[in-house]
């Protein structure tokens, strides 16, 4: 008799690959909106430094605004073979012409853009985490005052050591949490530092 054929279970798609293949439309639009935000600042800077003509800058900014106002609907039906950034930029070059759409590439690399949009994307979740930690710390301090006279043992090496109060213990937790909050605030300073102009590590000779 023949042995039954061995059934091979299909390998599930790696979660990272799944996120790339099946990106929700909301995330797609959110990423493009961040790119557009950076581009507005970049084009405005180029025009203010008189590196690009004012008329072309206005034309490009209006084209970006139209895409944003329509939730980038014109890009939804096009295949993103090389990433959202190039799909977006190719559209602007096609619609406004290379002489205008191509101005976005002046004194800026894709690495600059990716690093800048990444920092912008971090701001909102950072603010949520920071607010939650501050609320938790405030609650701990309020309870520390409430239970300032409630006796409890303090422990060392896993055993009762000295008498203390629940309020004192909660205040200690709040203080430890404060160190973590300060660490987040220190790290947040870098969120306000723009990577634009790094030029893929080589910098730029353009006087931006």
């Amino acid at each position: 008799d023949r042995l039954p054929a061995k059934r091979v279970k299909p390998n599930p798609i790696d979660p990272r690959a799944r996120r790339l293949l099946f990106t929700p439309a909301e995330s797609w639009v959110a990423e493009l909106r961040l790119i557009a935000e950076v581009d507005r600042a970049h084009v405005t800077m180029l025009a203010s430094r008189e590196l690009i003509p004012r008329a072309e800058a206005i034309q490009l900014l209006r084209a970006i605004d139209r895409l944003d106002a329509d939730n980038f609907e014109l890009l939804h039906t096009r295949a993103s073979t090389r990433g959202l950034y190039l799909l977006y930029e190719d559209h602007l070059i096609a619609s406004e012409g290379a002489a205008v759409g191509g101005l976005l590439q002046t004194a800026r690399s894709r690495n600059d853009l990716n690093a800048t949009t990444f920092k912008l994307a971090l701001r909102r979740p950072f603010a949520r985490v920071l607010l939650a930690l501050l609320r938790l710390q405030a609650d701990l301090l309020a309870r520390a005052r409430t239970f300032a006279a409630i006796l409890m043992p303090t422990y060392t090496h896993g055993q009762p050591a000295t008498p203390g109060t629940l309020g004192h213990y909660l205040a200690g937790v709040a203080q430890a949490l404060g160190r973590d909050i300060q660490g987040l605030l220190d790290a947040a300073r870098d969120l306000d530092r723009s990577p634009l102009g790094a030029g893929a590590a080589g910098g730029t000779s353009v006087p931006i």
Side-chain angles (χ1 to χ4, degrees):
D1 293 337
R2 287 185 177 182
L3 293 174
K6 184 178 180 181
R7 298 184 63 184
V8 179
K9 293 182 179 180
N11 291 325
I13 298 176
D14 183 275
R16 290 168 296 181
R18 181 178 293 277
R19 285 196 296 271
L20 290 173
L21 292 171
F22 306 108
T23 304
E26 296 81 8
S27 301
W28 206 70
V29 171
E31 182 178 344
L32 285 169
R33 193 149 277 154
L34 289 176
I35 292 172
E37 184 177 346
V38 174
D39 280 347
R40 288 189 186 97
H42 187 64
V43 171
T44 302
M45 178 276 299
L46 291 174
S48 68
R49 296 286 293 168
E50 299 182 349
L51 295 170
I52 64 174
R54 180 181 174 85
E56 278 84 343
I58 292 172
Q59 180 183 342
L60 188 51
L61 289 171
R62 285 174 175 168
I64 292 171
D65 285 345
R66 285 195 299 271
L67 272 177
D68 195 351
D70 293 335
N71 287 323
F72 304 92
E73 193 68 35
L74 289 174
L75 305 183
H76 288 190
T77 57
R78 299 176 59 185
S80 177
T81 56
R82 298 184 299 159
L84 288 179
Y85 157 69
L86 291 175
L87 177 65
Y88 159 89
E89 189 173 82
D90 287 348
H91 170 79
L92 290 173
I93 290 174
S95 66
E96 307 306 314
V100 176
L103 291 174
L104 286 172
Q105 299 172 350
T106 305
R108 192 201 67 191
S109 75
R110 184 176 182 178
N111 298 36
D112 294 359
L113 180 66
N114 288 343
T116 308
T117 54
F118 178 68
K119 284 189 173 185
L120 290 175
L122 284 178
R123 284 182 167 186
R124 189 165 293 174
F126 170 82
R128 286 199 299 266
V129 170
L130 184 61
L131 180 60
L133 289 174
L134 289 170
R135 284 174 172 168
L136 174 59
Q137 187 184 49
D139 191 42
L140 285 168
L141 291 172
R143 290 172 185 269
R145 287 190 290 270
T146 300
F147 301 120
I150 303 298
L151 293 175
M152 64 168 281
T154 56
Y155 286 73
T156 183
H157 301 290
Q159 58 186 350
T162 58
T165 69
L166 179 56
H168 182 263
Y169 172 78
L170 292 175
V173 175
Q175 183 182 28
L177 187 61
R179 291 196 298 267
D180 293 334
I181 291 171
Q182 187 58 54
L184 277 175
L185 291 173
D186 291 340
R189 292 194 185 100
D190 191 56
L191 288 180
D192 290 331
R193 187 177 294 116
S194 173
L196 291 174
T204 177
S205 60
V206 178
I208 57 173

